[in-house]
Amino acid sequence: MGNFLEKNNKAVSGVIVMVVMIALVISISAIVFTLTKKTVEEKIKKSEACGPDIIGKLSINSEYVCYDSVKDEIVFSINRGEIELDKLIIAIETETKVTQFELFEAEKQIDNLYPYNKSRNLMGKKIMLPAKNSGRTYIATGFLEPVIGIKIIPVINEEQCEVADSLNEITDCELTTIF
């Protein structure tokens, strides 16, 4: 009878080990699933917001971009197609720094950014995004060194997308017919 109990104890401990191993594998699988699910959901949300639907729907109109070294300002124009935006980030680059402005659907006063007018008297400080299927031209001031680049970065469904358009050759305003 003692031999029978020893064999049963060995069999029971093997079953217990197997049950513990299965529980451990299931627990680890649940942890991995939980961690990767959140990351995958974030990636899906961003790709839905910033997917191929935005290609060509936001652009810098290079015909209306120039840097005025006398007035230390840049004139730039943005075209917007049929696209929903939370905001648009404008990044203006000089040799030593990048200055960012954020444009929204609602009018807002933004320091050193003005709506363009031909006389460039910097009146009307309220700024907003271009309406859908239209464009707007702006003047940004306070650039003591030449502007070497400008980028526009959309924010859609609270997700900051990749750069939608950029321009790295900024003409001197004296060489253009903008004014």
Side-chain angles (χ1 to χ4, degrees):
M1 184 113 185
N3 213 3
F4 177 73
L5 286 176
E6 283 180 30
K7 285 183 180 178
N8 276 347
N9 282 342
K10 286 183 181 178
V12 169
S13 65
V15 169
I16 291 173
V17 168
M18 187 59 77
V19 169
V20 169
M21 292 291 282
I22 291 170
L24 187 61
V25 168
I26 290 172
S27 299
I28 291 172
S29 298
I31 292 169
V32 168
F33 175 77
T34 304
L35 294 175
T36 57
K37 181 181 176 199
K38 184 177 180 182
T39 302
V40 169
E41 285 174 346
E42 288 172 1
K43 297 283 185 186
I44 289 171
K45 182 181 175 190
K46 185 166 185 167
S47 71
E48 286 174 348
C50 301
D53 292 346
I54 68 169
I55 295 173
K57 294 187 178 175
L58 280 171
S59 62
I60 299 168
N61 186 345
S62 60
E63 292 180 41
Y64 297 100
V65 176
C66 68
Y67 172 70
D68 186 336
S69 59
V70 174
K71 293 189 173 191
D72 298 328
E73 61 191 26
I74 180 172
V75 177
F76 62 95
S77 183
I78 298 171
N79 293 330
R80 176 182 178 186
E82 188 69 32
I83 184 172
E84 292 291 331
L85 296 172
D86 294 340
K87 65 182 173 182
L88 185 64
I89 300 169
I90 312 298
I92 301 174
E93 184 180 0
T94 66
E95 288 288 338
T96 60
K97 71 177 187 173
V98 175
T99 303
Q100 290 189 349
F101 300 100
E102 294 183 352
L103 304 180
F104 296 89
E105 293 286 353
E107 285 188 327
K108 197 173 185 182
Q109 183 171 336
I110 301 172
D111 292 338
N112 297 325
L113 188 63
Y114 305 90
Y116 171 81
N117 60 49
K118 198 133 179 114
S119 64
R120 292 171 50 195
N121 59 12
L122 305 182
M123 300 297 289
K125 290 187 172 191
K126 297 225 173 177
I127 299 294
M128 64 188 290
L129 280 166
K132 288 181 183 176
N133 297 313
S134 68
R136 283 222 165 122
T137 304
Y138 307 90
I139 299 173
T141 62
F143 296 93
L144 303 176
E145 55 187 339
V147 173
I148 59 171
I150 183 169
K151 296 176 182 170
I152 55 174
I153 305 141
V155 176
I156 302 170
N157 296 332
E158 300 177 14
E159 293 291 331
Q160 182 172 321
C161 303
E162 298 295 321
V163 172
D165 197 10
S166 64
L167 185 63
N168 293 320
E169 293 181 22
I170 311 298
T171 308
D172 189 302
C173 288
E174 290 181 12
L175 304 175
T176 67
T177 59
I178 295 174
F179 305 112

